[in-house]
Amino acid sequence: MSFADLGLSTKILSAVTNKGYTTPSPIQEQAIPAVLQGSDVMAAAQTGTGKTAGFTLPILQLLSQGKPAKPNQARALILTPTRELAAQVAESVQTYGQDLSLKSAVVFGGVGINPQMLKLRKGADILVATPGRLLDLFNQNAVKFNELEILVLDEADRMLDMGFIHDIKKIIKLLPQKRQNLMFSATFSEDIRKLAKGLVNNPVEISVTPANTTVDLVEQWVYPVDKSQKSQLLTSLIKDNDWQQVLVFSRTKHGANRIVKQLESRGISAAAIHGNKSQGARTKALADFKQGKVKALIATDIAARGLDIDQLPQVVNFDLPNIAEDYVHRIGRTGRAGAKGQAISMVTQDEFKELVDIEIFTKQIIQRKIIKGFEPSAKLPESKTDQRPIKAKKPKKPKVDHRDGQRSGRNAAGGQPPKANRSRNRNRNTNRSSDTSGNR
């Protein structure tokens, strides 16, 4: 099957061809016709399957046949959990809609709100947004949804994990009841299905990846190593293998910054991307990485969600993730669009539990390799095939400090609880201090 068989217009097909694509991926082959028919869609598709084009292409087609957006109105709303994913989706909209007379806009936190308000004055046929900034703009009358035709929840599972469920419900209440709904998620968890009950109507369900499996084209292995040797091992891998581009995952923001300093001190260009970085710094780091100015991009899980890097050959887990499912998202950055990739994990004895959780989740034992000169002082225990299910994780509660897509109102107030609760909290903390001081 070709893209021409999916019922897309010649202008959109031309943009797809210019991008270098000729054959739709499985998610595109199933999702595009369903969206064009006006159906609600629930699609389970992991990173790297082409899901973004799976909804942007048919949305562009549908909107190009209607009336342009009026001032401050949005005709299609695409919600994403992070700034990077919002920027990536907006880029796809512009790329595939370059020959169409449609207006698009992207809004997210971490940057000034005034330019976004000015852009929305002209209206947006397609608006890509993170939940918090969208609500801020709505509360300032910068955007209205009277004429909204399509709602898309992209990476719905991650939005729930990041605590955006309340913002999402608020946004849904602001929208017209008659609309087309598209929900894209890596998995159809119980929480996702609960959200879907109040959102989609008789949806077409699409699943293109078997549950809990990793990308087939990604070669995976583990390097047992002492924690003190991880940085030197990473340096050795980059230099000895002449890696020109590697995405490295750190569990923490501070850890990401530390890895950058260590690599740069050894002559390897590196940059970090995480929630403490300004949006300008994050955008520059990603651009430099894509252009080859930076060899190693060090990222945390939230910041890396939605990154689309063509032909990324290597992913390194400097730290294993606490949540097994995040391992699948991490290594899904490589082995995309039919290309082969490598996913390497540096694992200490202390991370054995996380390794076992990953192997249970992916239903495979990951091959181990010992690098000469980096033999661990404490042997990593042998894994055994164990298919016991892992307990479902609970969604994280939103933190007080600002995060991607999160509203800034409470932050601006200093994160203080309502006055009525302050004295109660103060008394509670006083009573608690005598019990807990010995445990700190």
Side-chain angles (χ1 to χ4, degrees):
M1 177 179 283
S2 68
F3 279 102
D5 298 323
L6 298 178
L8 297 170
S9 68
T10 54
K11 289 183 178 180
I12 294 177
L13 289 174
S14 175
V16 171
T17 301
N18 291 339
K19 187 72 174 173
Y21 299 126
T22 56
T23 305
S25 68
I27 183 67
Q28 294 163 358
E29 189 175 319
Q30 297 181 60
I32 290 174
V35 178
L36 289 176
Q37 289 171 6
S39 302
D40 282 9
V41 172
M42 279 185 68
Q46 294 184 0
T47 300
T49 57
K51 65 179 176 60
T52 302
F55 61 78
T56 55
L57 293 177
I59 286 174
L60 287 166
Q61 171 99 352
L62 292 173
L63 296 182
S64 65
Q65 300 167 353
K67 295 180 180 180
K70 295 179 181 178
N72 295 105
Q73 295 285 352
R75 297 174 62 202
L77 173 63
I78 303 173
L79 288 177
T80 71
T82 67
R83 310 169 191 174
E84 278 71 30
L85 184 55
Q88 179 59 42
V89 172
E91 184 181 342
S92 293
V93 170
Q94 290 183 332
T95 298
Y96 297 125
Q98 59 189 2
D99 298 325
L100 303 174
S101 300
L102 294 174
K103 295 172 290 187
S104 64
V106 56
V107 297
F108 45 71
V111 296
I113 197 171
N114 288 335
Q116 297 176 355
M117 295 176 70
L118 288 172
K119 181 116 187 212
L120 289 171
R121 282 184 185 177
K122 300 176 183 178
D125 294 293
I126 299 179
L127 176 60
V128 187
T130 51
R133 177 52 61 95
L134 183 69
L135 284 171
D136 288 339
L137 287 163
F138 178 83
N139 290 332
Q140 296 189 47
N141 295 316
V143 63
K144 300 175 183 178
F145 304 111
N146 308 70
E147 300 177 0
L148 191 87
E149 301 170 36
I150 304 170
L151 169 66
V152 181
L153 291 188
D154 193 15
E155 303 277 14
D157 54 333
R158 178 58 62 169
M159 280 199 273
L160 296 188
D161 289 344
M162 292 173 66
F164 292 145
I165 181 62
H166 299 297
D167 280 353
I168 292 171
K169 287 182 177 179
K170 287 179 183 177
I171 292 168
I172 291 173
K173 288 181 180 178
L174 303 174
L175 309 180
Q177 287 190 348
K178 187 178 179 181
R179 63 179 189 270
Q180 186 175 8
N181 302 288
L182 313 176
M183 180 184 287
F184 286 76
S185 176
T187 59
F188 286 156
S189 65
E190 287 186 17
D191 290 331
I192 289 294
R193 290 196 176 277
K194 284 180 183 177
L195 176 61
K197 282 184 180 178
L199 180 66
V200 294
N201 300 307
N202 299 318
V204 174
E205 285 203 21
I206 300 169
S207 183
V208 298
T209 306
N212 301 350
T213 61
T214 49
V215 183
D216 292 336
L217 292 172
V218 179
E219 185 181 4
Q220 306 164 58
W221 63 86
V222 163
Y223 285 138
V225 65
D226 290 339
K227 186 176 182 179
S228 61
Q229 291 290 303
K230 279 190 175 185
S231 177
Q232 188 61 50
L233 175 56
L234 178 60
T235 301
S236 178
L237 288 171
I238 294 173
K239 289 187 174 181
D240 293 349
N241 296 292
D242 193 26
W243 288 349
Q244 297 302 308
Q245 194 179 48
V246 56
L247 177 61
V248 181
F249 282 96
S250 168
R251 189 181 293 128
T252 67
K253 302 169 188 176
H254 298 298
N257 291 336
R258 185 167 55 250
I259 295 168
V260 169
K261 290 181 180 179
Q262 291 167 339
L263 290 178
E264 289 186 330
S265 69
R266 293 162 185 158
I268 298 172
S269 55
I273 181 170
H274 54 66
N276 280 357
K277 294 282 186 179
S278 69
Q279 186 57 38
R282 291 161 70 164
T283 302
K284 184 178 185 302
L286 181 57
D288 287 347
F289 183 63
K290 287 184 175 182
Q291 294 167 14
K293 296 178 181 178
V294 168
K295 280 189 178 182
L297 183 65
I298 321 302
T300 54
D301 287 302
I302 289 178
R305 188 67 175 235
L307 290 185
D308 188 6
I309 304 163
D310 291 337
Q311 305 299 318
L312 178 64
Q314 283 91 25
V315 167
V316 173
N317 293 305
F318 193 91
D319 305 308
L320 287 183
N322 291 322
I323 301 171
E325 188 177 344
D326 284 341
Y327 174 82
V328 176
H329 294 305
R330 286 183 178 189
I331 73 168
R333 302 295 131 196
T334 186
R336 301 169 76 119
K340 292 186 177 181
Q342 298 177 334
I344 298 160
S345 300
M346 302 179 183
V347 182
T348 66
Q349 186 184 44
D350 293 340
E351 294 175 296
F352 180 66
K353 180 186 179 299
E354 286 80 5
L355 175 61
V356 171
D357 287 347
I358 289 167
E359 291 176 326
I360 293 172
F361 186 79
T362 60
K363 295 181 171 61
Q364 64 175 323
I365 300 297
I366 303 173
Q367 181 185 1
R368 304 183 189 202
K369 296 183 180 180
I370 300 291
I371 297 292
K372 189 175 182 180
F374 293 95
E375 298 86 350
S377 57
K379 185 179 179 182
L380 192 66
E382 292 296 325
S383 297
K384 296 181 181 179
T385 304
D386 188 343
Q387 303 301 330
R388 290 174 299 173
I390 299 175
K391 290 183 180 179
K393 60 184 184 300
K394 295 181 179 179
K396 298 176 183 176
K397 294 181 180 179
K399 295 182 180 178
V400 171
D401 57 324
H402 182 80
R403 291 182 292 125
D404 293 350
Q406 189 172 350
R407 297 181 67 187
S408 55
R410 176 121 183 244
N411 207 39
Q416 291 292 326
K419 289 183 179 180
N421 295 334
R422 290 181 191 171
S423 59
R424 197 185 317 150
N425 291 343
R426 199 177 295 118
N427 293 335
R428 190 184 298 133
N429 292 336
T430 302
N431 295 335
R432 207 182 276 162
S433 61
S434 60
D435 297 330
T436 59
S437 58
N439 297 326
R440 289 177 183 170

